[in-house]
Amino acid sequence: MGTINILGKQLAVDADGNLANRSDWNEDVARELAKQEGIPNLTSQHWTIINYMRKVSEKEGSAPSIRRLTKESGVDTKTLYQLFPKGPAKRAAKIAGLPKPVGCI
Amino acid sequence: MKHLLILGGGTGGTMMANKLAPVLDAREWQVTIVDNSEKHYYQPGFLLVPFGIYSMRDVVKPRRQYLPAGVKLVISSIDHIEADKNKVVLSDQSILPYDYLIIATGADIHPEQNEGLVDDEWRKSKFDFYTPEGADQLSKFLKGWEGGKLVVNPVEMPIKCPVAPLEFLFLADAYFTEKGIRDKVELRLVTPLSGAFTKPRASQVLGEFLERKKIEVTPDFGLARVDSKEKKLVAWDDIEIGYDLLVSVPTNMGDPCIGRSDLGNELNYVPTDKETLLAKGHDNIFVIGDATDLPSSKAGSVVHFQSEVLFENFLEHIEKRPMPAHFDGHTNCFIESGFGKGLLIDFNYETEPLPGEFPLPGIGPLSLLKESSMNHYGKLMFRWVYWNVLLRGLELPMGSAMSMAGKRV
């Protein structure tokens, strides 16, 4: 298992490069993770998605798929791709400090 | 009389009927299986139909022939399940009560979920190979095709047999080479994944195969719509990929009856305990195979390993004893790589596919994550194993849990 440097701290990551420990995450860490993903500023829409993903993951144990994001977050797919280019579910999960959503098997 | 009702007579349902019917006391139990068709398809064979390796005759048999005596087969569509009342309502509104239910309703393609896929050009310049009709039509089309841009596009994960799009491309490479028109065909995989496959080491090995066979890859592609007039795929971020022949793997979903029963997630897959295979929140409903929402591949081998776990658990659970078996996510896939060769991968929830020998450590005869002729024969032989061993619920010479023996980490 590898680590990444976030705000001067070495944080453990899984094979997909996502944070290994939920407790390592906070909003400042999220902003840094977003920068590493090429998203310089997290807008309120970004936070809507990130918070929604964390809520689902907390309750059900895994992050939601893109299809469910579109259905339940109130943000349409087109906008999701603008917010988190190249794979919204994957990327938002990474920034939210969660493992990659299942379904990609 | 107690009723065990099995929904779906495919790989999972048939295997469970064959395993359970002989051991449940026939004076106490009636086993009933519901399916909407008399035909049992060997789904892994669909991949080989477009290239003329199998004909349609090779992949279909009468469903009844594979069910044991004493099991009642009801041919009907299912309207919905009333889980709180322990009954299933069929499409003609007749009612089947149950004490225990096994959901084995599988997954299917739903091209209507993908904008622009089903129109006048469907099965003319755009095909699927996940249905008998699709595979058959594509086989006829390929015979007369003179070349151009062939794009294979799995739209959305998860899909049944996640390696099938890659196998299709490997087989296409061999098919067009043998036809002498490989230089006139451009092969491309357009995928929502970030690479060739989901598991890192297999993705790397398979990625190298694609490169060697001159198959282009467009990763991270989220399909917004298909434009049939301009013959192009358009992504949510406006990237466009042109095609002459589109081989689509449309969105896969669980059976609509699961949605109507309010028992499924957003793709109509039933939330299932990943170890015991009980439906979450329902103590008398088990789920097997593609119908589950489990983070394991949707593939026949998975159903086979699950069937052994479900068999053990079922027999204890009906006696109110603790369930002894735990499914570990074990998956085992042959991957056709063309020109009479193939690969084999073996993995579970926790361990990704690794190189080695299988099933006998150090001997094989099959090799893991490596191309060989023996793996190809393994795949062809498997059709016989499917009809004669697997469906009948007989044991194969390997356990349901994944083994690390013979693997190199």
Side-chain angles (χ1 to χ4, degrees):
Chain A
M1 201 178 286
T3 59
I4 47 167
N5 189 312
I6 298 280
L7 302 168
K9 272 193 194 161
Q10 289 297 118
L11 305 181
V13 292
D14 64 19
D16 300 306
N18 295 23
L19 286 190
N21 305 310
R22 287 181 75 105
S23 55
D24 285 340
W25 187 90
N26 59 44
E27 294 194 357
D28 290 329
V29 169
R31 276 185 272 271
E32 278 307 303
L33 288 169
K35 277 181 202 158
Q36 295 187 358
E37 290 291 303
I39 302 170
N41 288 306
L42 290 178
T43 64
S44 64
Q45 255 185 327
H46 284 108
W47 284 110
T48 304
I49 301 300
I50 292 168
N51 292 331
Y52 169 77
M53 290 198 93
R54 287 188 63 86
K55 201 177 84 191
V56 171
S57 169
E58 185 89 31
K59 211 172 120 210
E60 299 172 21
S62 59
S65 65
I66 171 103
R67 176 171 282 261
R68 186 150 164 218
L69 270 180
T70 306
K71 216 168 138 187
E72 294 180 8
S73 70
V75 181
D76 63 54
T77 313
K78 180 96 193 164
T79 312
L80 281 173
Y81 271 89
Q82 284 161 358
L83 294 170
F84 302 97
K86 297 277 169 204
K90 250 180 326 217
R91 280 209 145 156
K94 185 171 255 183
I95 296 167
L98 306 168
K100 191 165 87 174
V102 298
C104 322
I105 301 126
Chain B
M1 199 70 164
K2 283 189 245 178
H3 293 277
L4 164 60
L5 188 55
I6 301 175
L7 303 183
T11 312
T14 303
M15 274 198 290
M16 289 322 299
N18 277 309
K19 280 177 181 290
L20 287 169
V23 296
L24 293 172
D25 188 338
R27 291 165 302 183
E28 278 181 45
W29 286 89
Q30 171 62 51
V31 181
T32 304
I33 192 159
V34 184
D35 199 287
N36 63 5
S37 156
E38 290 274 5
K39 290 178 182 167
H40 187 128
Y41 287 102
Y42 175 58
Q43 295 189 57
F46 292 170
L47 169 74
L48 302 177
V49 170
F51 306 105
I53 302 169
Y54 283 171
S55 72
M56 289 313 291
R57 267 208 323 264
D58 294 323
V59 296
V60 62
K61 305 239 185 196
R63 196 178 298 289
R64 279 174 204 277
Q65 199 177 312
Y66 292 88
L67 293 173
V71 170
K72 197 168 135 195
L73 173 64
V74 176
I75 298 292
S76 168
S77 296
I78 297 154
D79 191 78
H80 67 283
I81 302 159
E82 290 182 19
D84 52 341
K85 293 185 184 133
N86 295 335
K87 65 182 190 186
V88 168
V89 180
L90 301 180
S91 52
D92 66 357
Q93 299 305 308
S94 61
I95 287 168
L96 294 175
Y98 63 82
D99 296 283
Y100 286 89
L101 186 68
I102 296 178
I103 299 178
T105 41
D108 250 315
I109 60 161
H110 284 264
E112 78 285 355
Q113 292 277 331
N114 309 128
E115 194 182 328
L117 199 50
V118 184
D119 56 18
D120 298 348
E121 284 295 310
W122 182 237
R123 293 184 179 157
K124 285 181 188 156
S125 60
K126 302 179 289 185
F127 294 83
D128 77 280
F129 63 96
Y130 271 56
T131 56
E133 304 78 29
D136 191 36
Q137 294 282 326
L138 183 52
S139 137
K140 287 174 183 139
F141 179 87
L142 284 180
K143 272 184 199 150
W145 198 48
E146 287 169 2
K149 285 183 197 164
L150 193 169
V151 168
V152 175
N153 173 230
V155 175
E156 183 177 357
M157 300 310 263
I159 57 169
K160 288 196 270 194
C161 189
V163 290
L166 298 172
E167 296 184 275
F168 187 93
L169 284 158
F170 296 154
L171 290 171
D173 171 59
Y175 178 83
F176 294 121
T177 302
E178 278 153 22
K179 253 181 120 176
I181 59 165
R182 181 62 182 90
D183 58 331
K184 296 191 179 66
V185 178
E186 190 185 309
L187 294 174
R188 180 179 291 276
L189 174 68
V190 176
T191 172
L193 299 174
S194 299
F197 193 55
T198 50
K199 311 271 174 179
R201 269 173 86 171
S203 184
Q204 193 197 333
V205 170
L206 294 167
E208 286 162 14
F209 266 81
L210 290 166
E211 213 178 304
R212 189 154 22 106
K213 292 172 189 289
K214 298 194 169 46
I215 298 165
E216 306 290 329
V217 181
T218 305
D220 294 319
F221 189 93
L223 179 75
R225 63 191 171 87
V226 180
D227 184 332
S228 289
K229 262 202 192 116
E230 306 253 325
K231 292 202 168 166
K232 63 186 184 187
L233 303 176
V234 183
W236 290 107
D237 51 11
D238 298 323
I239 291 171
E240 298 181 349
I241 304 282
Y243 65 82
D244 295 303
L245 169 57
L246 172 63
V247 177
S248 174
V249 181
T251 296
N252 281 210
M253 293 176 80
D255 196 277
C257 78
I258 301 299
R260 289 193 291 271
S261 313
D262 213 14
L263 283 174
N265 66 9
E266 69 276 15
L267 287 168
N268 293 340
Y269 296 126
V270 185
T272 304
D273 185 284
K274 66 191 270 202
E275 294 186 344
T276 64
L277 304 178
L278 265 182
K280 284 183 183 166
H282 300 277
D283 201 45
N284 62 342
I285 303 179
F286 284 94
V287 197
I288 186 168
D290 298 351
T292 72
D293 75 334
L294 297 183
S296 45
S297 294
K298 297 195 178 299
S301 67
V302 173
V303 183
H304 164 225
F305 300 129
Q306 285 176 347
S307 76
E308 293 178 4
V309 170
L310 179 43
F311 175 71
E312 281 188 54
N313 284 351
F314 185 87
L315 293 179
E316 297 302 315
H317 193 59
I318 57 173
E319 300 296 340
K320 313 285 178 216
R321 289 194 290 258
M323 290 185 274
H326 299 288
F327 181 56
D328 66 351
H330 191 187
T331 308
N332 181 289
C333 306
F334 287 105
I335 305 174
E336 278 293 286
S337 53
F339 301 101
K341 290 189 176 174
L343 289 83
L344 180 65
I345 55 175
D346 192 66
F347 56 102
N348 69 9
Y349 287 141
E350 309 298 335
T351 310
E352 64 164 320
L354 296 169
E357 292 79 34
F358 187 89
L360 303 175
I363 296 171
L366 305 172
S367 27
L368 293 169
L369 204 49
K370 202 177 129 210
E371 197 180 39
S372 80
S373 308
M374 196 57 102
N375 289 338
H376 164 72
Y377 291 117
K379 175 141 187 155
L380 293 188
M381 210 167 68
F382 201 76
R383 181 165 58 110
W384 184 90
V385 172
Y386 181 83
W387 295 116
N388 295 291
V389 182
L390 210 67
L391 280 187
R392 301 198 187 276
L394 304 175
E395 300 285 322
L396 282 181
M398 52 170 148
S400 65
M402 195 199 75
S403 163
M404 284 302 286
K407 289 183 183 171
R408 290 185 287 279
V409 181

